[in-house]
Amino acid sequence: MSKKCSVRSLSDSALAELANLLVSTISYVQYAPDVHLDINIVMVELNEYLAQSGATSNIYQDLLRVILSSDYLDANMRFTCLQMLLNCGVTFLVTEVFPFSYYEKILQVIAAQGAGLRVLNIKGIWVKEEHMHYMYEIVRRCKQLVKLYVPYIANDQLLEEIGKCSTRLQILDISGETDITEIGIDVLAKGVCCQSLTVVDVGMPGEENICHSDIALILEHCPQVETLSTYSFVGAALKFIYDNVDDRFKCRLKYVHDTGTDESALHVIMSTCPRLETLYLDTPKTGCLRALHTRTLRKLKIYKFVVAELLPLLERPIGRNLRHLTMIKGTGNLELGKLARLCPSLIDLDCYMIDSLSYGQAHAKFQQLEGLEILSSAIMTSSLKAFLCNSTDLKRLAVDTVEFTDEDIMSMFVQHDFKVLEDIWFTLAPELTVQAVELLMDSCPELQSVGQLTGWSLTPDDLALIRGLLKSGNSSIVLTPNGFLA
């Protein structure tokens, strides 16, 4: 049988109780018709109560996390709690989403009370130009910042302030559509954080809204940078340095995302990134893959490619070392047994929009495969069944369309031991009934979620029956009627 719902921890229960106490007290003061108290005085008294009760900085942080992320509290209540709980001992803050009318007040509170912050994430606050001066003040006052997430709002002046004040900054998110130019990037790259930055999220995936020569400044002057995760033209930036600055240049990049890569650009990537672990090639040019030679690569993602070009690459040591492989829009047939022979150490395999996949019963099998996704890729039912029966160590399985019957589920999941399978996802499975759900629940002891049941042959009564059985047995399985697995 499936796992049972775990008992809520004492710390979580106590935190929820304390948060409810604070919220209910503030709500009573603000909205009770017969109460006329100054909310500012009440907030002071509540803080005194927390201090006298021995509340630590971690408790203040956890209270802020629980309250600010709540889907049930209105913006005014969440803002009041932010105003009350943020103090110099709090080191971690995620603002979450607020209406525009609260932006200025939230920024004022952070600037005035957030001097101790080491991590600040304001993804839910879309700061406009008229409020940017508060952001500059926050950067000046929060000198302990190690991680700063400010996507879609960065401009040159903000980068200048970061370059002047953020001596400890390691992770910076300035991704999205922004007003950044070469001027701001140059100041940042040569600023006080140039030796500490390891992650810079900049630009938008698929769009060169920031010139590769500007990104080259970061790579040239920030020697500890390991990833530019949202920038899709890293190869062009590296080639700019190689061709115009230093043909012996080396960097610490562990992740590279490049678009339209040709053989010379891939050669430069190999030469300049000796520590490369993850590579994403978007629409590589024909013949460029032969320049890929590295023993450090663990993850490969490739979009718009020819299967016949990829397989010879995987015959080299690179194939034996790969742990994660994502293939999107591949032309030709991919024989999964051959892939298992070339990449025996794969943990995750994702196949999206591959022309065709095939597998034979006697073919090689993956020894460590834990995650499998096959979406919009043609594969015969017999091949899929044979492959799954040889992949019993799977933890995550997702296939968009299957022609399995209840008898197929019996032959695969009951007769073979899927002892660690946690998530199973068939988007469209018109032949599977409530019996298939029951078989999966009974035969997969670690099962946590089953979906997408609206694409199965289940009636509302069937779903109600299964949910009733799960509830009565305290099962932790989640039935997903629609949407996608997280």
Side-chain angles (χ1 to χ4, degrees):
M1 279 297 291
S2 58
K3 296 175 71 173
K4 305 298 182 182
C5 291
S6 58
V7 177
R8 193 179 192 184
S9 69
L10 180 59
S11 60
D12 285 347
S13 298
L15 181 64
E17 187 68 25
L18 182 56
N20 286 332
L21 175 63
L22 296 176
V23 168
S24 60
T25 302
I26 294 171
S27 180
Y28 178 74
V29 171
Q30 288 182 326
Y31 302 117
D34 56 339
V35 175
H36 305 284
L37 296 174
D38 186 335
I39 186 61
N40 294 309
I41 296 176
V42 173
M43 287 194 294
V44 170
E45 291 177 347
L46 286 173
N47 265 321
E48 289 178 353
Y49 164 75
L50 290 173
Q52 292 170 2
S53 301
T56 64
S57 298
N58 287 338
I59 291 176
Y60 280 92
Q61 285 178 186
D62 288 341
L63 286 170
L64 282 168
R65 173 179 54 82
V66 169
I67 292 171
L68 293 178
S69 63
S70 173
D71 295 327
Y72 306 103
L73 298 177
D74 62 28
N76 184 60
M77 177 60 70
R78 290 184 289 124
F79 170 72
T80 301
C81 291
L82 172 65
Q83 191 177 18
M84 178 179 68
L85 296 172
L86 182 60
N87 57 53
C88 61
V90 173
T91 62
F92 181 96
L93 179 65
V94 180
T95 58
E96 302 293 351
V97 179
F98 275 86
F100 174 76
S101 58
Y102 285 86
Y103 290 1
E104 182 175 15
K105 293 187 288 186
I106 290 172
L107 294 172
Q108 288 174 336
V109 169
I110 296 174
Q113 303 171 206
L117 288 173
R118 291 170 54 85
V119 179
L120 175 59
N121 185 332
I122 61 167
K123 284 185 177 180
I125 308 297
W126 293 71
V127 184
K128 304 297 183 182
E129 185 61 36
E130 61 268 27
H131 297 146
M132 281 300 292
H133 64 280
Y134 293 115
M135 275 306 311
Y136 309 148
E137 189 65 22
I138 288 171
V139 171
R140 293 187 199 111
R141 294 190 177 187
C142 299
K143 296 184 180 297
Q144 308 300 315
L145 281 175
V146 175
K147 301 178 183 179
L148 178 61
Y149 303 86
V150 286
Y152 292 95
I153 68 171
N155 58 23
D156 287 345
Q157 188 172 346
L158 181 60
L159 296 191
E160 182 178 347
E161 297 294 342
I162 293 171
K164 288 179 180 178
C165 305
S166 301
T167 57
R168 301 184 179 186
L169 196 63
Q170 297 176 12
I171 297 176
L172 175 62
D173 183 352
I174 48 174
S175 60
E177 190 66 53
T178 64
D179 295 326
I180 295 172
T181 70
E182 179 184 359
I183 297 172
I185 289 182
D186 185 66
V187 175
L188 174 70
K190 298 175 182 177
V192 296
C193 57
C194 67
Q195 296 297 320
S196 60
L197 278 174
T198 58
V199 176
V200 181
D201 288 354
V202 60
M204 298 182 66
E207 297 183 23
E208 195 174 4
N209 60 324
I210 297 177
C211 183
H212 63 268
S213 59
D214 298 343
I215 299 301
L217 290 169
I218 297 176
L219 293 173
E220 183 182 356
H221 297 286
C222 302
Q224 305 301 321
V225 167
E226 297 178 353
T227 175
L228 301 161
S229 55
T230 48
Y231 193 70
S232 307
F233 301 87
V234 176
L238 290 167
K239 196 168 189 305
F240 181 87
I241 298 174
Y242 186 87
D243 291 342
N244 300 282
V245 181
D246 181 4
D247 60 5
R248 293 178 296 176
F249 175 76
K250 305 289 183 185
C251 66
R252 290 176 174 264
L253 284 179
K254 294 182 178 180
Y255 170 78
V256 168
H257 180 182
D258 196 43
T259 304
T261 315
D262 59 21
E263 188 172 354
S264 64
L266 190 53
H267 174 76
V268 170
I269 293 172
M270 295 296 99
S271 173
T272 57
C273 304
R275 304 185 181 201
L276 187 64
E277 295 178 358
T278 304
L279 177 63
Y280 178 10
L281 295 176
D282 185 335
T283 321
K285 303 295 185 184
T286 300
C288 92
L289 292 180
R290 58 175 166 258
L292 186 56
H293 51 83
T294 171
R295 294 178 179 272
T296 62
L297 198 67
R298 296 296 179 265
K299 297 182 181 180
L300 175 63
K301 182 176 181 180
I302 187 167
Y303 172 70
K304 282 190 179 180
F305 68 102
V306 177
V307 172
E309 282 192 42
L310 178 63
L311 291 179
L313 164 69
L314 299 178
E315 290 177 354
R316 306 175 194 169
I318 184 176
R320 293 194 296 273
N321 295 328
L322 275 183
R323 309 287 280 175
H324 307 268
L325 177 60
T326 299
M327 299 172 289
I328 309 170
K329 214 166 187 179
T331 303
N333 176 68
L334 176 62
E335 210 291 292
L336 295 173
K338 184 174 183 180
L339 185 64
R341 179 174 57 82
L342 298 177
C343 306
S345 300
L346 277 186
I347 294 175
D348 288 298
L349 174 62
D350 302 323
C351 302
Y352 308 135
M353 295 181 285
I354 309 299
D355 279 352
S356 66
L357 302 171
S358 59
Y359 186 78
Q361 182 67 48
H363 290 182
K365 64 180 181 178
F366 291 100
Q367 302 298 321
Q368 303 177 47
L369 195 64
E370 295 180 0
L372 174 66
E373 287 194 28
I374 300 177
L375 305 180
S376 301
S377 303
I379 182 170
M380 294 179 60
T381 299
S382 57
S383 291
L384 182 58
K385 286 177 60 179
F387 185 66
L388 292 181
C389 290
N390 279 334
S391 305
T392 55
D393 289 329
L394 284 173
K395 292 183 178 180
R396 301 168 299 279
L397 170 64
V399 185
D400 54 354
T401 303
V402 297
E403 298 178 359
F404 294 154
T405 64
D406 293 346
E407 288 73 23
D408 291 327
I409 296 296
M410 168 74 79
S411 66
M412 288 187 294
F413 293 94
V414 177
Q415 296 179 16
H416 296 81
D417 189 8
F418 285 82
K419 58 184 179 299
V420 294
L421 186 64
E422 297 175 358
D423 303 308
I424 186 166
W425 182 271
F426 299 143
T427 307
L428 185 62
E431 301 299 320
L432 296 184
T433 70
V434 66
Q435 183 182 1
V437 180
E438 293 174 337
L439 288 170
L440 290 169
M441 289 166 48
D442 289 338
S443 57
C444 303
E446 297 296 319
L447 195 63
Q448 294 294 298
S449 65
V450 182
Q452 172 187 354
L453 297 183
T454 51
W456 297 26
S457 184
L458 269 69
T459 66
D461 288 342
D462 291 333
L463 282 173
L465 172 62
I466 293 295
R467 287 199 171 99
L469 291 173
L470 293 176
K471 187 174 182 180
S472 64
N474 193 35
S475 172
S476 62
I477 293 180
V478 175
L479 300 181
T480 311
N482 49 43
F484 290 95
L485 286 175

